[in-house]
Amino acid sequence: MKSKRGSGGAQDGFARILANTGWLLGGKGVGAVLSLVYLAIVTRTLGVADFGRFALVLSAANVIKTLVSFDSWQIVVRYGQPHLASGNDDALNRVLRFCILIDLASALAGGLIAAFIILAFGSLMELSPAMGLQAWLFCMVMMITIRSSPTGVLRLFDRFDSGAFAETMIPVGRMIGAVIAWVAMPDVTGFLIAWGAAELLCAVSYWWLALRVGGQRLGSWRAGRTLDARVENPGIVGFLTATNLQTTLSSVGQQVAVLVVGLFVGPVGAGLYRLANQLANSLTKISSLLSRSIFVELSRTHSSHGAEALGTLFRRTNRLALIAGAVIVALILTIGHPLLGLIAGEAFLPGYPLLVLLGVSSCIDLVGVSYRPLLMATDRATLALRITFISTALLLAMQAALLPIYGTIGAAGANIIASIVGFAMMGLASRRAVTGRSA
């Protein structure tokens, strides 16, 4: 009987993963199509050098946002579920307010860090004083549009469909903004304004939908003190710290790479690397979408159905990720070159080898997409953090060693090495977690 319950729990969880990922893919599918169009507008309007400067500003903003922001949506899901199930709406509200407070503090810290980076390294990135000010203003927009808390509310109530709709506001906003910039202000400033407006539109959409979905179930916004959430939810601070560091380490290497390439080979090289990385990430977007759905279901399965169902669900998600990774590698090898030329033009075709290498690296990460969520769901966040630290340190070390010798090809090759090592370590730790052995 236990086996049947475990099998049923895994089957239901896998079905929800597919359904929720389907909603996310629907939104990202619209974004992927629109991104091809607005990316073509930006690259063909700015050219390689100005697109490189545009890419450096975007990467700097993303690096800062990654450094200071927390994955507070995971806090809302993990610590909000017990309060939601027990009907303690006010305690749920305090968890949400705690996450909002963290997001606001992150925005303030991000603004200060952005000012320092631009003042100290703006000249190295070939940013004029005027462009440096624009870069800082764009960074501030990125900081105030951190939307992890409302994302957590939508996922807590299993409204991935609403989250997918809100997420489409970024590509829709960028598409509209890119056309307006192309006509009215065809320079880096115009496209930065367009990208910033899209972020604001997305953040407003997320909050409007989250408050509408949550309604009265979110409790009173005046019940108790916000910091009471730390006492009511033991371990919340440690979990918050671990998730933040993991997100920072796993993302910062990718964003820093563009900045490092820009410092070594200039805006042209940074532009080619950024474009190849963006196209590779677009083709493997399913990785991040699966990860979001998998974390919610692995946490639920682990607490409700036990280790047997957890192992079954884990194996099923692994098979799905392996198939997806193989298909995407085939797509990169067959249509990658003509796709690059179609989108950006002949001037960007030298970036095709980068697209292949970065695409393979992303597919390796895709195949192991269920590893980190499993470790988080089984209270092994610290172990996942150590592995992420090792793989990120290896990535940056290999980039430092290979970039001066092989240029951008060396930087892209470093991603493959780091992905293989990270995949092996995460896979071993995940299998030990499933079998219940100590890591």
Side-chain angles (χ1 to χ4, degrees):
M1 190 69 179
K2 181 179 178 180
S3 178
K4 290 182 179 179
R5 286 200 303 268
S7 177
Q11 185 174 351
D12 292 342
F14 189 69
R16 282 192 294 268
I17 287 174
L18 292 179
N20 291 333
T21 304
W23 280 114
L24 294 173
L25 274 175
K28 291 297 183 181
V30 174
V33 174
L34 292 178
S35 69
L36 296 178
V37 181
Y38 66 66
L39 193 59
I41 293 175
V42 175
T43 53
R44 291 176 181 271
T45 301
L46 296 181
V48 178
D50 274 347
F51 179 75
R53 295 184 180 90
F54 179 68
L56 288 174
V57 173
L58 295 183
S59 295
N62 284 320
V63 166
I64 296 167
K65 185 176 182 179
T66 301
L67 284 172
V68 302
S69 62
F70 292 79
D71 269 349
S72 53
W73 73 266
Q74 294 185 8
I75 299 294
V76 177
V77 169
R78 172 158 181 173
Y79 292 94
Q81 275 185 347
H83 300 312
L84 183 65
S86 64
N88 194 347
D89 297 338
D90 288 342
L92 170 60
N93 187 274
R94 285 189 286 274
V95 171
L96 179 57
R97 276 186 281 155
F98 179 76
C99 292
I100 294 173
L101 183 63
I102 295 297
D103 290 343
L104 292 175
S106 299
L108 178 60
L112 296 175
I113 294 173
F116 170 76
I117 290 178
I118 292 171
L119 288 174
F121 304 105
S123 60
L124 293 177
M125 294 186 290
E126 300 184 24
L127 297 178
S128 65
M131 184 57 65
L133 176 60
Q134 294 175 21
W136 182 78
L137 291 174
F138 179 78
C139 287
M140 287 305 303
V141 171
M142 292 287 286
M143 294 304 106
I144 64 175
T145 55
I146 293 175
R147 47 193 174 269
S148 191
S149 295
T151 299
V153 173
L154 294 178
R155 291 175 186 173
L156 176 65
F157 290 102
D158 267 334
R159 292 303 303 269
F160 281 76
D161 54 341
S162 296
F165 173 79
E167 201 66 35
T168 60
M169 292 300 102
I170 287 184
V172 169
R174 287 179 179 178
M175 181 70 239
I176 296 173
V179 172
I180 295 175
W182 178 39
V183 174
M185 192 181 294
D187 54 20
V188 175
T189 301
F191 288 110
L192 284 177
I193 293 174
W195 261 236
E199 294 288 336
L200 287 169
L201 177 62
C202 181
V204 171
S205 300
Y206 258 114
W207 273 113
W208 181 75
L209 289 169
L211 295 176
R212 182 181 179 184
V213 167
Q216 297 299 320
R217 291 176 293 178
L218 292 178
S220 172
W221 293 87
R222 297 182 178 180
R225 298 185 309 155
T226 300
L227 294 181
D228 287 344
R230 295 184 303 172
V231 179
E232 297 171 336
N233 304 275
I236 189 173
V237 175
F239 187 84
L240 181 68
T241 303
T243 55
N244 169 255
L245 290 175
Q246 283 188 71
T247 302
T248 299
L249 290 173
S250 60
S251 301
V252 74
Q254 302 301 322
Q255 299 296 337
V256 167
V258 180
L259 299 178
V260 172
V261 169
L263 292 176
F264 272 91
V265 298
V268 174
L272 293 175
Y273 190 95
R274 167 82 184 192
L275 177 62
N277 193 47
Q278 187 167 346
L279 288 176
N281 288 336
S282 297
L283 291 172
T284 57
K285 203 68 175 182
I286 190 175
S287 176
S288 61
L289 304 184
L290 273 172
S291 179
R292 298 169 191 175
S293 303
I294 288 171
F295 172 74
V296 175
E297 292 306 324
L298 287 180
S299 298
R300 181 179 295 156
T301 301
H302 179 58
S303 61
S304 303
H305 300 283
E308 183 179 349
L310 181 69
T312 302
L313 180 58
F314 174 68
R315 288 187 289 272
R316 288 183 177 180
T317 55
N318 279 347
R319 287 194 291 268
L320 176 64
L322 180 61
I323 294 171
V327 170
I328 293 172
V329 168
L331 287 174
I332 292 174
L333 294 176
T334 54
I335 68 171
H337 191 272
L339 181 65
L340 185 62
L342 177 65
I343 294 173
E346 293 185 2
F348 286 85
L349 286 178
Y352 175 66
L354 301 176
L355 173 61
V356 173
L357 293 173
L358 293 172
V360 170
S361 173
S362 296
C363 285
I364 294 172
D365 295 336
L366 169 59
V367 173
V369 68
S370 61
Y371 294 162
R372 182 176 288 107
L374 176 73
L375 295 177
M376 298 293 293
T378 55
D379 297 323
R380 290 171 169 83
T382 302
L383 175 60
L385 175 60
R386 290 201 301 266
I387 295 173
T388 304
F389 175 79
I390 293 172
S391 59
T392 303
L394 177 63
L395 170 63
L396 297 178
M398 293 302 298
Q399 285 179 339
L402 297 179
L403 186 57
I405 302 174
Y406 300 105
T408 53
I409 292 293
N415 280 264
I416 293 183
I417 297 172
S419 292
I420 292 174
V421 173
F423 174 83
M425 291 190 295
M426 282 286 188
L428 178 61
S430 297
R431 281 164 177 75
R432 286 181 173 176
V434 168
T435 58
R437 288 184 292 166
S438 173

